[in-house]
Amino acid sequence: MKLSKSYFLRDDVVALSKDLLGKVLCANIQNRYTEAIIVETEAYNGVVDKASHAYNGRRTARTETMYQEGGIAYIYLCYGMYSLFNVVTNKKDIPHAILIRGAMPLQGMEIMLQRCGKKTMKDDLLIGPGKLSKAMGFHYSQSGTSLLKNIIWIEDRGIHLKNIQSTPRIGVDYAKEDALLPYRFVGQL
DNA sequence: CGGCCGATCCACT
DNA sequence: GTGGATCGGCCGA
């Protein structure tokens, strides 16, 4: 049920990105439990992908996390105020990552609403990578957290999404021709 | 060290 | 549709 180490070690990050649709993202952060069904992802294909922070083999203190063995979280600060959550995949030294861009709340709605400062639940509360992290309680200081323990993990409950589409990725115009690759996946419950 | 900029979001018009 | 918020990471001097 919980995705295992071998799942994250697979080498086709694009296929894996699509496969994560319908999986359940679970988090137990500051003793508060939340769950959400993944409905939007983006693959970042390592050193050959101009949109990746690891493009051309770039290694910095921040991106070192992506070079570790798959099965951990890469969470970084974007635009000075949003923590974006990624799943690191593949073997050590192959810096593949999958950005989780959107999810549908499943458990812990009250906690999510409180974290987001909202009164009423709407379907788009966790649509958008910054919003998802805010609702789930992810923070860039947690980058490197193992997805095989009981803090942040992903479960397969046999949920299959409908109308799965692939499109170019969002917000990566700087990646020139790689910005056109169909590495974003979205589906519906 | 200084300056530029970003895998975003929301409140406005 | 558009611009501002906001600040760590990165690079060049």
Side-chain angles (χ1 to χ4, degrees):
Chain A
M1 192 139 156
K2 183 189 278 195
L3 298 184
S4 63
K5 175 88 121 199
S6 62
Y7 180 91
F8 298 110
L9 293 183
R10 288 160 57 183
D11 60 23
D12 187 341
V13 70
V14 177
L16 217 37
S17 183
K18 185 175 180 182
D19 194 72
L20 280 176
L21 295 177
K23 299 293 189 288
V24 179
L25 180 60
C26 309
N28 197 343
I29 304 223
Q30 290 164 336
N31 221 22
R32 296 168 191 255
Y33 184 67
T34 53
E35 285 182 351
I37 303 168
I38 296 168
V39 298
E40 181 179 346
T41 62
E42 278 179 4
Y44 285 84
N45 192 27
V47 301
V48 298
D49 183 354
K50 289 182 179 172
S52 171
H53 293 163
Y55 174 61
N56 206 21
R58 194 157 58 113
R59 294 183 92 121
T60 66
R62 177 177 68 153
T63 62
E64 196 58 33
T65 305
M66 279 196 285
Y67 287 85
Q68 293 184 49
E69 188 175 58
I72 63 174
Y74 170 54
I75 308 174
Y76 72 94
L77 181 69
C78 188
Y79 294 105
M81 58 187 108
Y82 300 106
S83 287
L84 303 205
F85 173 78
N86 298 251
V87 174
V88 174
T89 67
N90 216 318
K91 301 178 194 63
K92 180 169 159 41
D93 293 323
I94 302 179
H96 286 177
I98 299 165
L99 173 66
I100 308 300
R101 288 193 60 90
M104 294 301 288
L106 195 58
Q107 236 187 88
M109 318 281 196
E110 289 304 315
I111 296 161
M112 294 178 181
L113 286 172
Q114 187 184 7
R115 283 176 177 150
C116 296
K118 307 271 185 184
K119 296 262 186 216
T120 55
M121 181 56 72
K122 288 183 70 178
D123 278 353
D124 66 352
L125 190 72
L126 284 76
I127 301 299
K131 295 162 71 180
L132 179 141
S133 284
K134 190 168 187 184
M136 295 293 290
F138 301 154
H139 187 265
Y140 65 96
S141 62
Q142 296 158 314
S143 194
T145 299
S146 171
L147 301 178
L148 305 172
K149 298 188 177 164
N150 296 317
I151 306 165
I152 304 170
W153 69 96
I154 301 173
E155 294 186 10
D156 184 351
R157 297 190 192 166
I159 298 168
H160 293 281
L161 302 188
K162 296 179 294 193
N163 304 326
I164 293 175
Q165 317 268 353
S166 62
T167 79
R169 294 169 292 185
I170 308 293
V172 296
D173 291 348
Y174 61 85
K176 307 197 174 168
E177 70 273 17
D178 286 349
L180 301 174
L181 295 168
Y183 284 179
R184 170 174 176 259
F185 298 94
V186 282
Q188 298 170 259
L189 285 177

